[in-house]
Amino acid sequence: DSKSNALRELLQRTIVHNGFLKQNKGKLFLVFLFLLNANFVGDLHRTIKVFGLASPCKPWKIESYGEIYFKSWKAASGQLKVKIEHDCIQDLMYHSIHLASPSLLKAVQQILNYFH
């Protein structure tokens, strides 16, 4: 329904909001969003790719996304963990090989470095 869609859109906006990305409590909230519902993982990941990594992306923001993806993956279990691995981590790995934009390629590789 329209109310749940509006709430979903508001929550998606938080994943690219500097106020959340700069604060530890904000990043923990964003990790919580990834763990909230497996169906929401893809939406959050797409929002990060489309709006969060828009060029030029600041180094602190890339670091925040790496931390959020890693902590979400680490805290997840079962099907949710598989969803994060497939829809987010493997997608980033794919793009780290196929991206033509050097700045986006560097950003994706820095996010993935969080997992090493």
Side-chain angles (χ1 to χ4, degrees):
D1 77 349
S2 64
K3 287 183 181 183
S4 64
N5 286 339
L7 176 59
R8 190 178 191 100
E9 287 178 23
L10 286 173
L11 291 172
Q12 280 178 255
R13 288 183 197 170
T14 63
I15 201 79
V16 294
H17 192 281
N18 291 347
F20 285 88
L21 293 168
K22 286 183 176 181
Q23 303 296 322
N24 286 331
K25 286 184 179 181
K27 287 186 270 190
L28 286 175
F29 177 75
L30 299 176
V31 168
F32 167 75
L33 290 182
F34 270 96
L35 302 173
L36 195 58
N37 184 302
N39 294 326
F40 199 38
V41 168
D43 294 336
L44 293 171
H45 179 61
R46 274 187 296 282
T47 302
I48 290 170
K49 286 185 357 182
V50 173
F51 299 106
L53 296 178
S55 197
C57 190
K58 306 224 185 258
W60 66 264
K61 191 180 263 194
I62 295 166
E63 179 75 17
S64 292
Y65 285 130
E67 180 181 346
I68 291 162
Y69 278 119
F70 180 74
K71 287 183 176 179
S72 299
W73 171 76
K74 190 117 168 124
S77 62
Q79 286 302 105
L80 183 57
K81 189 167 199 143
V82 171
K83 182 86 169 164
I84 292 170
E85 287 172 355
H86 183 267
D87 289 7
C88 303
I89 300 166
Q90 288 185 20
D91 182 62
L92 290 170
M93 291 170 82
Y94 173 85
H95 287 298
S96 74
I97 297 168
H98 296 285
L99 273 171
S101 165
S103 61
L104 278 176
L105 175 62
K106 184 178 177 184
V108 168
Q109 288 173 337
Q110 287 175 317
I111 290 170
L112 289 171
N113 279 339
Y114 226 94
F115 289 87
H116 290 139

